Amino acid sequence: MQADTTRAPADTVALTAPAEVPFMPPHNGGYMVAAYVVAAAVYLVYAASLILRARAERR
Amino acid sequence: MTPDAARARSLMTRGVVLTVLALIGQAAVMLLAIQFTPVEARQGMAQKIFYVHVPAAVIALWVAVPLTAFAGLLYLWLHDPRLDRFAAASAEVSTVLCGIVLATGPIWGKPIWGTWWTWDGRLTLTLFLFFLLLGYHTLRAAIRDPGDRARFSAVLGVMGLVLVPFIHLSVYLWRGLHPQPVVLKPSAPSLPPEMLRTLLSGFAVAFLLYLGFVTLRYGIQLARDAREAAHAG
């Protein structure tokens, strides 16, 4: 007699969530924070370098 | 004070005001993106890197690098030192914007692609453009004669513009990992209105940053040139 492969055994769980469970986005906010910090740092350092160069030229 | 020195002072003051306003605007765009823009379902919060990365890329590729090249081309024709000053200022800001693009892109790539870097056509060509811009500044620093410096760097600036269409079309030509455009494409932008609003604010602020930085950088160079002319005279 062959085993019925179309039905999941009673001790397994479905890998896909039921339709009523909302889809959860991945938790990767740390990457966003890192990118924003890097961008802000580059802009601020460049702005500071320009302002310091301008101040030196004014003297 | 010579008229050029007075004009340089006025430009530097205007540049500082514009830059400070633009930096405040950049902080506001980041706040808008974090707090008032929906989270993309599949990419999560990492998608919000888009609001810093894309405006920097668009202003670098479609404003800063082309204006550097056009100013260089016009310099080769007219030999006006104002054009060389503008080209040098615009190239410096292009380098900063390209640096932002190359720094924030991999930070998005790691959670979404699973790797910091891949030799995808768009990434590779953008890296080439960044190196070309670094070469531009190295060349300027290495040449003492102002005429030669302006002429040679103008040619290199035009070379940067040649890369721009290839960078834009690379996602269609080679179909690598980099996403295709969602705004700068023949059809309507494929973004929800809240995301589009934040992205457009990002474009406006990146453009204002470009204007502020270039005005300030141009003013510094004009002041330097006026000082050198006064010493020579």
Side-chain angles (χ1 to χ4, degrees), chain A residues 23-26 28-29 31-32 34-36 38-40 42-44 46-47 50-51 53-54 57-58, chain B residues 9 12-13 30 33 41-43 45-46 48-49 52 92 97 100 107 110 209 213 216-217 220 224 227:
Chain A
F23 182 79
M24 291 297 290
N28 52 21
Y31 289 97
M32 181 206 68
Y36 280 16
V38 167
V42 172
Y43 281 138
L44 285 173
Y46 183 60
L50 284 176
I51 290 168
R53 279 188 268 172
E57 285 301 329
R58 274 172 192 273
Chain B
R9 268 176 181 265
M12 287 190 287
T13 307
M30 287 175 173
R42 288 180 204 288
Q43 296 188 23
M45 294 289 273
K48 291 174 191 264
I49 295 171
V52 173
E92 193 172 291
L97 292 171
I100 299 256
I107 301 175
K110 180 63 181 164
L209 272 169
F213 286 156
L216 194 44
R217 181 67 183 79
I220 293 165
R224 215 170 270 171
R227 181 166 43 82

Side-chain angles (χ1 to χ4, degrees), chain B residues 85-170:
Chain B
R85 250 179 246 130
F86 176 80
S90 186
E92 193 172 291
V93 182
S94 307
T95 315
V96 171
L97 292 171
C98 247
I100 299 256
V101 173
L102 288 168
T104 54
I107 301 175
W108 174 84
K110 180 63 181 164
I112 306 302
W113 293 340
T115 180
W116 296 102
W117 184 264
T118 168
W119 294 102
D120 169 275
R122 179 165 282 191
L123 276 68
T124 309
L125 289 176
T126 307
L127 186 66
F128 282 2
L129 178 64
F130 183 67
F131 286 148
L132 191 142
L133 288 165
L134 290 181
Y136 181 98
H137 304 303
T138 312
L139 183 78
R140 287 190 75 87
I143 301 174
R144 304 283 295 174
D145 180 68
D148 285 347
R149 182 172 57 216
R151 217 151 30 91
F152 295 150
S153 57
V155 173
L156 203 53
V158 175
M159 293 296 111
L161 182 63
V162 173
L163 276 174
V164 170
F166 287 100
I167 293 174
H168 182 70
L169 295 173
S170 57

Side-chain angles (χ1 to χ4, degrees), chain A residues 57, chain B residues 2 4-5 8 12 80-86 88 140 144 146 149-150 217-233:
Chain A
E57 285 301 329
Chain B
T2 63
D4 272 354
M12 287 190 287
D80 186 334
R82 287 176 298 179
L83 292 163
D84 176 55
R85 250 179 246 130
F86 176 80
R140 287 190 75 87
R144 304 283 295 174
R149 182 172 57 216
R217 181 67 183 79
Y218 184 99
I220 293 165
Q221 193 58 48
L222 182 59
R224 215 170 270 171
D225 292 349
R227 181 166 43 82
E228 281 170 12
H231 281 304

Side-chain angles (χ1 to χ4, degrees), chain B residues 11-31:
Chain B
L11 279 171
M12 287 190 287
T13 307
R14 261 185 265 172
V16 169
V17 171
L18 270 175
T19 299
V20 170
L21 285 177
L23 288 172
I24 294 168
Q26 184 61 63
V29 165
M30 287 175 173
L31 185 70

